[in-house]
Amino acid sequence: MGTTYVPASASADARNRAFRTFVQGLGTDVIGATALAVVPALSGSDFAWSGQYWTAVGLLAAKTAILTVVSYVARKTVPPAV
């Protein structure tokens, strides 16, 4: 008895892919933000929650938002190869 594969709709698949991209990007952002805070502390330099730090964290978050949108649009416009 075989199972039949029913592909998800393009919208559902695009949302799923965009969500996975968001979660992966968010994980990268957390690692990056942690490294930006921990490395100066370990090297002994004075670390403050400066504007440069928050700018870097904001750029990481913007990168994740952009990649999430690109992932969604790419899936909606270009179907996966079968």
Side-chain angles (χ1 to χ4, degrees):
M1 185 185 252
T3 58
T4 304
Y5 173 73
V6 178
S9 71
S11 292
D13 190 43
R15 282 190 306 273
N16 181 280
R17 288 172 189 244
F19 177 74
R20 290 189 323 231
T21 300
F22 173 75
V23 170
Q24 292 165 351
L26 189 61
T28 303
D29 296 345
V30 169
I31 290 168
T34 302
L36 287 171
V38 170
V39 170
L42 292 177
S43 68
S45 63
D46 292 329
F47 173 76
W49 302 100
S50 67
Q52 290 175 332
Y53 172 80
W54 290 113
T55 299
V57 172
L59 289 172
L60 286 170
K63 177 253 333 155
T64 295
I66 291 167
L67 286 177
T68 300
V69 170
V70 168
S71 172
Y72 180 83
V73 171
R75 173 54 189 98
K76 288 286 284 186
T77 57
V78 180
V82 179

